[in-house]
Amino acid sequence: MKHWFSDVLPFRRDPLDFMLSCATENAPPLKRLLLGPKPVWLVTDPEVVKPVLKAPEEEIDKGRFIHKLRKVLGVSSLSLSGEEHRKRRAILHNTFAKGASNQYAPEMSAVIRRTALQLIAAGCQFDAHAVTSRLSLRLVSLAMFGKDVLTEADEQVIVESVAEVEDDLADEMFRVLPLAPWQLLARRRRRARVNVALDLVVARVRSRAPKNSAVGALEELGLTDVEMRNEILTMILAGYHTTGNAAAWILYHLATVPGLADLLANEGEQIIGPDGEYPPARLMRAEKSLAAVRETLRLYPSSYWFSRDAMANIEVAGTRLRKGDAIIIAPWLFHRSSLHWPNPNSFDLSRDFGSRAYLPFGTGPRVCVGMGIVMLELQLIALEFAAACQLQVHSSVPAATPKASITLVPPPIAMSIGIRDGQSVPSVPKAA
């Protein structure tokens, strides 16, 4: 017999499989999830996504699930709405826009090549996600703050801090029963320890970042010290973590998809300039590497779900929602459903990525502000590793299912790397 909590156990046991089980041909556009007395609605029809995300803020807006992230990130543009959100988003949009971020392409390539050289020189197996987490952190820091703002020690603090609190936050999102007092105390102590460490990193970033960076632009808005801390921390954590997840799958696909590395290496040879760099204008027309990135994000959308709340009693796709009802939009559901993609679990560069069922960055007026720089980073990683490196996977193929935490975290993927046949050791340009 169905009751308010009927979906709690299957959802917490395997949220990815649970979401896919809701993507049936006869499912209503909004399906009620039985996760407690407060209604939660899962969008199952991609035609409904854009109207939900474009609705006026007084009708549908960020709500209780997103606000839970404030425990680590504080109140920032990620959870704000209204005019304050728009002012801060404009600053971030100027920083992360494709045209603005393209200026960093040569320096990003240098960082990627240096990482590949270090892996080749080490000559041992490595975990794909451990490498790409640090790599993406360096790349996004370069674009946001400038060169050499984060030290290796800062990077280590950030990576370890995210690993320590991410699962706690994921657990709290849909928790029905309260934690035992000793568990709650341990969790609060972990979070306090992480916040202290991250606050020190943020303070160093703020003191080192040049005035023409995103930090300088935000300071011109007259934000308080606490508000600056929250925005910098949000940029760091949201900017690098999701990209690092996707980049691990880029390396995995280069190693396991027959012919992919050769295909991208050939494309790289065709578009590379006489100076050994990829001109931004040519990158935007490099269809094969762009398709490889888009297909990776379809199979493994780092932000595999996001949410909104009804701010008033409204009707959506024929369903009456009451003020306070939560709406879940799950890219994983749309990306992996056979209703929208033939052979949805296979890697295929020929897919139509203009489909309404493709939304790794969301859609509408609040599409991910970092979309341009994420695409640039992942495309450069794909091209640089394909051009000079031979990658091999030493763990299971196909890889295990990713872990559904706050983001979609890759499983351990053991890899090794060598120099691609017929290639010399990749050079690192002066930008490094």
Side-chain angles (χ1 to χ4, degrees):
M1 181 179 175
K2 294 284 187 179
H3 53 78
W4 278 346
F5 304 96
S6 293
D7 293 331
V8 170
L9 286 179
F11 184 88
R12 289 178 67 86
R13 188 183 302 119
D14 189 342
L16 300 180
D17 185 64
F18 176 83
M19 288 176 182
L20 276 181
S21 72
C22 297
T24 62
E25 196 167 359
N26 298 320
L30 269 71
K31 179 179 174 62
R32 169 76 186 268
L33 303 184
L34 300 173
L35 299 174
K38 285 189 174 182
V40 177
W41 300 90
L42 178 67
V43 177
T44 65
D45 182 352
E47 297 294 331
V48 177
V49 173
K50 203 163 191 176
V52 167
L53 296 181
K54 289 183 69 176
E57 291 178 349
E58 58 269 19
E59 293 182 4
I60 298 176
D61 200 7
K62 299 172 183 177
R64 63 181 185 270
F65 292 128
I66 291 179
H67 291 167
K68 288 183 179 183
L69 297 175
R70 291 174 172 176
K71 293 179 180 179
V72 172
L73 299 177
V75 178
S76 70
S77 55
L78 188 67
S79 57
L80 280 170
S81 299
E83 183 58 29
E84 187 61 29
H85 169 264
R86 285 186 280 276
K87 286 194 301 184
R88 299 189 195 184
R89 180 183 169 86
I91 295 292
L92 300 178
H93 184 271
N94 290 337
T95 300
F96 291 126
K98 182 80 175 184
S101 57
N102 278 342
Q103 65 180 301
Y104 298 107
E107 289 182 303
M108 286 182 174
S109 286
V111 172
I112 296 166
R113 292 173 198 173
R114 177 186 290 174
T115 299
L117 278 172
Q118 290 171 339
L119 292 171
I120 291 170
C124 56
Q125 291 185 19
F126 60 91
D127 176 68
H129 188 228
V131 167
T132 57
S133 288
R134 295 289 286 267
L135 174 58
S136 65
L137 183 53
R138 289 169 193 152
L139 295 177
V140 79
S141 172
L142 176 65
M144 290 189 303
F145 311 128
K147 193 175 177 182
D148 298 328
V149 170
L150 285 181
T151 66
E152 288 191 11
D154 293 332
E155 292 171 1
Q156 189 67 26
V157 168
I158 292 168
V159 171
E160 290 179 355
S161 296
V162 169
E164 192 161 6
V165 300
E166 182 174 21
D167 287 345
D168 285 353
L169 286 172
D171 174 71
E172 291 172 15
M173 284 292 170
F174 298 99
R175 171 167 284 280
V176 176
L177 299 176
L179 290 168
W182 59 90
Q183 293 173 312
L184 184 60
L185 179 61
R187 184 168 290 185
R188 285 175 175 169
R189 285 175 173 170
R190 276 197 300 274
R191 192 163 295 153
R193 184 170 63 249
V194 163
N195 282 336
V196 168
L198 290 175
D199 284 350
L200 292 173
V201 172
V202 167
R204 287 194 290 270
V205 167
R206 193 174 176 185
S207 66
R208 297 170 185 154
K211 292 296 182 183
N212 62 351
S213 68
V215 174
L218 285 169
E219 285 182 335
E220 289 182 5
L221 291 179
L223 302 186
T224 67
D225 288 343
V226 171
E227 289 170 335
M228 284 297 301
R229 175 265 187 200
N230 295 342
E231 287 300 337
I232 293 172
L233 191 55
T234 296
M235 285 192 289
I236 292 173
L237 300 188
Y240 100 88
H241 191 37
T242 53
T243 310
N245 293 348
W249 293 110
I250 292 282
L251 300 189
Y252 172 81
H253 289 143
L254 287 173
T256 59
V257 176
L260 179 63
D262 289 340
L263 188 72
L264 299 193
N266 290 337
E267 182 176 67
E269 288 177 7
Q270 293 169 15
I271 67 170
I272 201 163
D275 58 354
E277 302 300 335
Y278 297 109
R282 295 182 186 176
L283 281 172
M284 297 191 318
R285 297 193 299 269
E287 295 180 358
K288 296 179 180 65
S289 52
L290 285 172
V293 171
R294 289 172 178 141
E295 178 68 342
T296 296
L297 292 171
R298 183 192 67 83
L299 286 166
Y300 301 103
S302 298
S303 299
Y304 67 100
W305 72 274
F306 49 94
S307 71
R308 294 291 185 268
D309 275 17
M311 299 289 111
N313 296 337
I314 56 172
E315 183 174 307
V316 176
T319 301
R320 292 187 178 278
L321 306 185
R322 298 181 66 82
K323 182 179 180 179
D325 286 8
I327 305 168
I328 301 293
I329 298 170
W332 174 268
L333 179 154
F334 298 122
H335 291 187
R336 291 287 187 137
S337 171
S338 59
L339 297 176
H340 308 297
W341 309 91
N343 302 314
N345 297 322
S346 65
F347 187 93
D348 184 353
L349 298 186
S350 67
R351 298 190 188 275
D352 174 16
F353 299 108
S355 166
R356 286 186 182 270
Y358 183 73
L359 56 155
F361 300 104
T363 188
R366 290 193 176 182
V367 68
C368 175
V369 73
M371 179 173 64
I373 196 168
V374 169
M375 290 297 297
L376 176 64
E377 289 178 38
L378 294 177
Q379 187 183 15
L380 288 173
I381 288 170
L383 286 168
E384 293 287 2
F385 274 89
C389 305
Q390 186 77 38
L391 289 159
Q392 239 183 323
V393 173
H394 298 278
S395 49
S396 61
V397 177
T401 303
K403 182 175 72 172
S405 188
I406 291 296
T407 59
L408 203 59
V409 181
I413 301 174
M415 303 190 75
S416 62
I417 187 172
I419 300 173
R420 188 168 176 264
D421 291 344
Q423 296 295 308
S424 57
V425 176
S427 61
V428 179
K430 292 179 181 179

